[in-house]
């Protein structure tokens, strides 16, 4: 029996070690970077990177964050905008929270950054992350993507207004599907527009399908509306399987098929939703380093090579930096917070 | 009271079930689903509780083969504990020492402790394995492994 | 329809010099990466994406597809030799493959796996070619209730996955299911059992559980038998020779499971894992000597191997003809398409026939390459088992660590791996079977989500499971297979 007690206590120690171990590991990394950064301080020449730069995609390979990070790194290096090597690593988990706490652990480093987008606001607001966007150093925003709401081609609705007409009468008569969990992007982008159209958003039924089956559920009639990104709808629209009732951009988008999608505003719903994507550094990144990166990101955003990438993925240019970006984030954050509170999902409830 | 091994195990399982159930009843409710997040965990917790009680009273004793499997010499058990402690140390030092160094040390010492007497082969393998893998991963596969205190 | 013309274009693309070159590069890279324990098709595809920049899309995608099914093909090697499944699709392969290798028949086990994979791959490519356009409607025919029923059917098989006590198998499964509930709940966004730790928010990765419960737990057995050197003297270890009897035994399972695997693979979200488990269980039910399963049965090895490879080709139906990625792997694959400016979807077949049919046609070549690439190498792979035990143990542990680290780059997962190694060891000591644990872990999460999705859609009405004909028939089958063995047992006892 003693043996078993020993084993049991051993596994207990393991659990403890696992819970504390992560911090220990990150601490080690951090120390190294600090030392190097501090040594260069106080010099008069403009700041330049002294070692390879790490871009973190706080999600698995293949997603929006990952693609943005990889494409940006590629253009930076291939076009020679930044000479130092840029490595992209995936730190997946917790809807981004794992990657964020990794970057937060690189306090003061000038060689780490991550790709952020609306979930950086939403996940913390839902109480699912230790950090908020305010803990990080916003560097620059690069691109914008927009939401689209699609229904089956044979659905009874042809415009957002017809859909919302039904939903104003009985919000629970319509089922919405999306890939992210409730309170995250696919849910909130629909709720925001519905709210602007005077639908009782506390009654909306939202189904989350994280296994990639959301489109399947729309096609086979399990659900009524698919809340997603614009790019995901194009092929199905061309094939005549679904129709897009509206997109959340300010003005009509450019491109074949895309230009046919009506905006919310032209349908009389005064609301937009932007899936912005930009880069953030760790807390206390040096100001000179931020200035350096902003210059480089600006150059990247204006480059032809990155323009091609944007077209390929259907992204829109949306360059912001400094105060403009800061204000934008604050504004977005308070909008999201108000919505989540109305839904009763906010952290405070 | 706790005559059979199954009865002892069932007590541990029951405690696990109780702990899990306690946490399940703490889960906050969410207004927008018909079946909330706590329903399945509660069901699983109760099910495990019932099953562990059934195990306590179950008559099927172990086969001789199963008994023999548990009859591990103290020395081997000690060895398993040592290897697992080595793994623990490996993980603890993984990001600090870096992949190459910590893997080198682990392979060499764990093989040594397990009774591998051919020091030369052991030395060669414990250097080549991490070095080759490290460069294969970082150069060809573009998968970054921790570099640690080594300069490359 | 012009689809015949399309097929011809496809064959021309695939059988051109360039096509053959790239498919062979693809399967070579895929099978090597797949063989490394812990590295699966996702890593393999992600690694190859940058390589394809600037390549002609059809060659690039033929290569990427080769990487994908090559990795699945190679994935069985570490399952069989080291009990260390690198992808969830090859867990069931370890059930009988590993005991067979330990018996000294490593070469034979690898050969059976290679042949079963080849047949599974080839039969399914044939089905893909004949039925792809028609099957896209099958791919979307499963709504949440039908998925729930499919997972439910898989779970009811738990009793048949265990030797010995059914009670212990059930306990094992319940605990596995409990572990699956860790993380943010998909339907409500509530974190469950995470103790505020952001590392647990996404839940535990399959590999952490599989390598812990299988590979690390097996390490403890190896440690106990560390002085056993019978393997190093065994000259037959790497022998590929299969007797006529062996081949006859394979025939049934391989044929049946190639079809079944393909059909399950077509369903988005189901994929190779569920296909391989269901195939394994089905063959065990059909077998005249089910007690041999789990101890190195040829049927038990051939069934999941043909099924997981067939399912991999099946997964191309929703990907190519609908643009729907059915799994994490096909999602990365979809990413590879987009990078090259190709949008898979209903129009791909008519817009870009050389790509749609080219990929499919190239799979014939790819599968043949894989077979002739793998067979001669088997004797060398089998030699891995002749590495002196102490060194082998250290290397298996290292491979498990690297495999887990390369998914999340997080030492937290390594601690979890070790924890599940200890759990797996304790389970062995007290005779709790591990397969039900891992099956419940894999199916449990999806089953709960689809159950709750269904009820959100129906607003809480349970009739949704009965009104859906696919769900209803699957549930009936599940109940029958669950009740039938019990009746058989009771009858046997009465006699």
């Amino acid at each position: 029996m003693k043996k078993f007690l020993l084993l049991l206590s051993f596994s207990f120690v393991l659990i403890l070690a696992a819970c504390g171990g992560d911090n220990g590991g990150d601490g080690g990394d951090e120390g190294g970077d600090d030392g190097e950064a501090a040594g260069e301080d106080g010099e008069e020449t403009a700041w330049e990177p002294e070692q390879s730069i790490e871009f973190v995609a706080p999600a698995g390979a293949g997603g929006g964050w990952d693609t943005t990070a990889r494409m940006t790194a590629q253009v930076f290096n291939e076009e020679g905008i930044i000479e130092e090597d840029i490595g992209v690593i995936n730190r997946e988990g917790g809807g981004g929270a794992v990657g964020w706490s990794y970057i937060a652990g690189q306090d003061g480093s000038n060689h780490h950054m991550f790709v952020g987008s609306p979930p950086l606001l939403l996940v913390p607001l839902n109480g699912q992350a230790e950090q908020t966007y305010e803990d990080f150093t916003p560097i620059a925003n690069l691109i914008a993507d927009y939401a689209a709401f699609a229904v089956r081609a044979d659905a009874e609705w042809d415009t957002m207004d017809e859909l919302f007409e039904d939903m104003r009468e009985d919000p629970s008569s319509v089922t919405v599907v999306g890939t992210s969990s409730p309170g995250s992007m696919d849910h909130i982008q629909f709720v925001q527009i519905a709210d602007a159209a005077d639908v009782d958003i506390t009654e909306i039924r939202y189904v989350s399908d994280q296994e990639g089956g959301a489109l399947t559920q729309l096609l086979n009639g399990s659900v009524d509306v698919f809340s997603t990104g614009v790019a995901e709808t194009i092929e199905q629209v061309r094939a005549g399987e679904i129709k897009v009732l509206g997109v959340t951009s300010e003005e009509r988008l450019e491109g074949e098929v895309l230009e046919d999608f009506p905006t919310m505003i032209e349908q009389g719903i005064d609301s937009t939703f932007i899936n912005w994507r930009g880069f953030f550094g760790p807390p206390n990144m040096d100001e000179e380093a931020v200035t350096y990166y902003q210059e480089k990101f600006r150059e990247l955003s204006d480059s032809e090579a990155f323009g091609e990438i944007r077209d390929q993925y259907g992204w829109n240019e949306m360059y912001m930096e400094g105060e403009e970006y800061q204000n934008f984030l604050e504004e977005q954050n308070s909008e999201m917070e108000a919505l989540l509170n109305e839904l009763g999902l906010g952290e405070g409830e | 009271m706790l005559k059979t091994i199954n009865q002892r195990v069932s007590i541990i399982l029951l405690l696990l079930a109780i702990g899990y159930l306690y946490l399940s009843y703490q889960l906050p409710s969410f207004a927008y689903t018909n079946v909330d997040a706590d329903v399945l965990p509660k069901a699983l917790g109760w099910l495990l509780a019932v099953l562990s009680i059934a195990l306590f009273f179950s008559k099927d004793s172990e086969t001789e083969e199963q008994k023999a499997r548990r009859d591990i010499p103290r020395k081997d058990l000690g060895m398993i504990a040592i290897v697992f402690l080595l793994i623990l140390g490996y993980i603890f030092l993984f990001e600090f020492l870096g992949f190459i160094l910590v893997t080198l040390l682990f392979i060499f010492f764990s093989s040594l402790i397990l009774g591998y007497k051919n020091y030369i082969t052991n030395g060669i393998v414990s250097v080549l394995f991490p070095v080759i893998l490290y460069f294969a991963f970082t150069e060809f596969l573009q998968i970054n492994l921790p570099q640690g205190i080594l300069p490359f | 329809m012009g689809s015949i013309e399309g097929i011809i274009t496809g064959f021309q693309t695939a059988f051109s010099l360039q096509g053959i070159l790239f498919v062979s590069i693809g399967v070579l890279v895929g099978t090597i990466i797949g063989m490394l324990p812990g590295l699966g098709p996702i890593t393999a595809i992600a690694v190859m994406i940058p390589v394809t920049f600037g390549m002609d899309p059809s060659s690039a995608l033929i290569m990427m597809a080769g990487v994908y099914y090559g990795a699945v093909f190679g994935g069985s090697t570490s399952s069989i030799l080291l009990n260390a499944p690198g992808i969830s699709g090859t867990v069931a392969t370890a059930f009988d493959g590993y005991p067979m290798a330990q018996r000294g028949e490593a070469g034979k086990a690898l050969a059976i796996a290679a042949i079963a994979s080849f047949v599974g791959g080839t039969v399914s490519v044939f089905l893909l070619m004949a039925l792809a356009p028609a099957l896209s409607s099958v791919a979307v025919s499963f709504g949440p209730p039908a998925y729930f029923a499919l997972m439910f059917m898989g779970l009811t098989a738990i009793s048949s996955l265990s030797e010995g006590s059914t009670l212990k198998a059930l306990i094992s499964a319940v605990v596995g299911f409990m572990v699956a509930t860790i993380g943010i709940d998909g339907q409500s966004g509530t974190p469950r059992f995470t103790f505020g730790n952001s590392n647990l928010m996404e839940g535990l990765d399959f590999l952490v559980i599989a390598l812990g419960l299988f590979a690390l737990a097996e390490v403890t057995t190896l440690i106990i038998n560390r002085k056993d050197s019978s393997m190093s003297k065994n000259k037959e270890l790497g022998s590929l020779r299969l007797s006529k009897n062996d081949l006859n035994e394979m025939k049934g399972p391989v044929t049946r499971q190639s079809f079944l695997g393909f059909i399950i693979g077509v369903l988005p979200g189901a994929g190779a894992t569920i296909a391989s488990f269901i195939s394994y269980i089905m063959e065990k039910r059909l077998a005249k000597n089910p007690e041999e399963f789990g101890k190195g049965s040829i049927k038990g090895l051939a069934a999941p191997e043909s099924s997981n490879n067939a399912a991999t080709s099946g997964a191309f139906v929703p990907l190519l003809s609908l643009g729907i990625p059915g799994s994490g792997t096909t999602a990365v694959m979809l990413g590879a398409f987009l990078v090259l400016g190709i949008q898979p979807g209903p129009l791909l077949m008519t817009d870009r026939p050389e790509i749609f049919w080219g990929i499919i046609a190239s799979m014939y070549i790819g599968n043949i390459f894989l077979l002739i690439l793998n067979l001669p190498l088997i004797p060398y792979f089998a030699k891995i088992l002749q590495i002196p035990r102490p060194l082998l143990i250290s290397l298996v542990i290292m491979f498990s660590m690297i495999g887990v680290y390369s998914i999340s780059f997080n030492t937290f997962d390594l601690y979890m791996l070790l924890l599940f190694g200890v759990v797996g060891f304790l389970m062995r000591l007290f005779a709790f079977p591990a397969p039900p644990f891992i099956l419940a872990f894999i199916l449990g999460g999806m089953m709960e989500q689809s159950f709750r999705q269904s009820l959100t859609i129906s607003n809480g009405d349970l009739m949704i499971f009965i009104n859906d004909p696919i769900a209803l028939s699957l549930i009936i089958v599940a109940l029958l297979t669950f009740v039938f063995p019990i009746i058989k047992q009771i009858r046997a006892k009465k006699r």
Side-chain angles (χ1 to χ4, degrees), chain A:
Chain A
M1 192 60 200
K2 254 186 195 165
K3 293 185 247 180
F4 304 129
L5 280 178
L6 194 84
L7 274 171
L8 271 180
S9 52
F10 179 57
S11 37
F12 184 62
V13 169
L14 262 182
I15 301 175
L16 287 181
C19 296
D22 186 44
N23 295 334
D26 284 348
D29 260 358
E30 178 197 320
D33 291 325
D34 264 356
E36 282 184 55
E40 300 292 325
D41 258 0
E43 281 184 33
E44 284 200 0
T45 47
W47 186 87
E48 283 206 9
E50 298 117 22
Q51 61 179 78
S52 58
I53 300 161
E54 195 172 289
F55 280 4
V56 171
W65 285 336
D66 179 64
T67 323
T68 312
R70 280 180 200 282
M71 291 305 137
T72 311
Q74 191 197 332
V75 174
F76 265 141
N77 279 164
E78 274 183 7
E79 299 289 302
I81 300 175
I82 292 180
E83 296 291 336
E84 284 285 349
D85 278 343
I86 303 176
V88 174
I89 64 162
N90 300 86
R91 293 231 171 217
E92 192 176 355
V98 171
W100 302 329
S101 57
Y102 168 75
I103 291 289
Q106 309 293 330
D107 197 331
S109 161
N110 293 333
H111 299 92
H112 289 80
M113 58 190 85
F114 69 91
V115 185
S117 71
L120 176 61
L121 309 177
L122 288 164
V123 175
L125 286 172
N126 282 313
Q128 292 164 354
E130 291 161 49
Q131 290 81 21
T132 69
Y133 79 100
E134 287 170 319
D135 290 315
F136 300 102
T137 313
I139 299 172
N141 196 70
L142 272 187
I143 49 173
D145 216 345
Y146 298 97
F149 307 123
V151 296
R152 271 187 310 285
D154 58 2
E156 51 184 305
W157 312 287
D158 283 316
T159 63
M160 280 317 277
D161 203 49
E162 289 176 29
L163 173 70
F164 284 144
E165 188 66 35
D166 282 1
M167 289 185 77
R168 274 191 287 266
E169 252 166 55
D170 180 8
S172 66
S173 63
V174 173
T175 321
V176 184
V177 74
T179 309
S180 58
S181 69
S184 202
M185 205 164 64
D186 291 348
H187 184 203
I188 294 304
Q189 65 195 21
F190 185 80
V191 164
Q192 186 191 325
I193 304 297
D195 195 41
D198 292 324
V199 173
D200 178 2
I201 59 172
T202 62
E203 295 284 322
I204 293 175
R205 280 192 295 141
Y206 174 78
V207 179
S208 159
D209 194 324
Q210 279 143 41
E211 303 292 332
L215 179 58
T216 318
Q217 290 200 26
L218 179 73
L219 292 177
N220 69 25
S222 298
V223 298
D224 306 303
V225 182
F226 181 27
S227 169
T228 184
V230 170
E232 277 90 333
T233 60
I234 298 173
E235 267 314 280
Q236 300 291 336
V237 170
R238 282 183 62 213
E241 299 284 339
I242 62 174
K243 54 191 176 190
V244 168
L245 299 186
V247 292
T248 62
S249 53
E250 193 113 2
E251 286 162 13
R252 285 215 178 198
L253 299 165
E254 285 170 26
E256 205 192 329
V257 182
L258 282 176
E259 62 199 13
D260 302 330
F261 298 164
T263 66
M264 297 299 151
I265 294 169
E266 66 185 85
Q267 300 187 63
I269 303 163
D270 188 21
S271 187
T272 58
F273 182 94
I274 308 169
N275 180 4
W276 48 272
R277 267 183 235 142
F279 283 77
F280 294 77
N284 303 316
M285 199 180 216
D286 287 342
E287 234 166 85
E288 296 84 46
V290 175
T291 317
Y292 167 85
Y293 286 124
Q294 282 172 347
E295 218 166 88
K296 298 297 176 185
F297 274 113
R298 222 176 300 137
E299 196 180 327
L300 173 102
S301 182
D302 292 338
S303 74
E304 210 173 291
F306 197 72
E308 273 172 33
I309 303 259
R310 273 196 304 258
D311 290 344
Q312 200 165 18
Y313 287 96
W315 298 333
N316 296 276
E317 183 179 351
M318 188 189 189
Y319 189 82
M320 281 186 288
E321 60 177 45
E323 210 168 312
E324 188 195 358
Y325 197 17
Q326 193 67 45
N327 291 340
F328 171 79
L329 290 170
E330 268 163 40
E331 198 183 299
Q332 289 282 316
N333 196 56
S334 50
E335 245 175 67
M336 301 284 132
E337 192 171 14
L339 270 179
L340 286 170
N341 284 339
E342 196 176 335
L343 284 171
L345 292 176
E347 195 181 7
E349 43 98 36

Side-chain angles (χ1 to χ4, degrees), chain C residues 35 77 81-82 106-108 110-111 234-240 372-387 392:
Chain C
M35 272 171 199
T77 312
L81 292 177
L82 307 173
K108 186 168 139 185
L110 290 171
N234 189 338
K235 286 205 181 95
E236 291 289 294
L237 189 66
S239 158
L240 299 179
I372 51 181
L373 199 69
N374 276 269
L375 283 182
L377 291 177
I378 285 175
Y380 302 100
F381 286 136
K383 286 231 166 63
I384 288 172
L385 293 181
Q386 297 185 336
I387 295 174
L392 182 66

Side-chain angles (χ1 to χ4, degrees), chain C residues 48-67:
Chain C
M48 293 301 280
I49 289 181
V51 179
T52 60
F53 290 140
M55 272 172 69
D56 149 50
S58 60
S59 308
L61 290 169
I62 283 175
M63 184 174 79
M64 294 304 266
V67 170

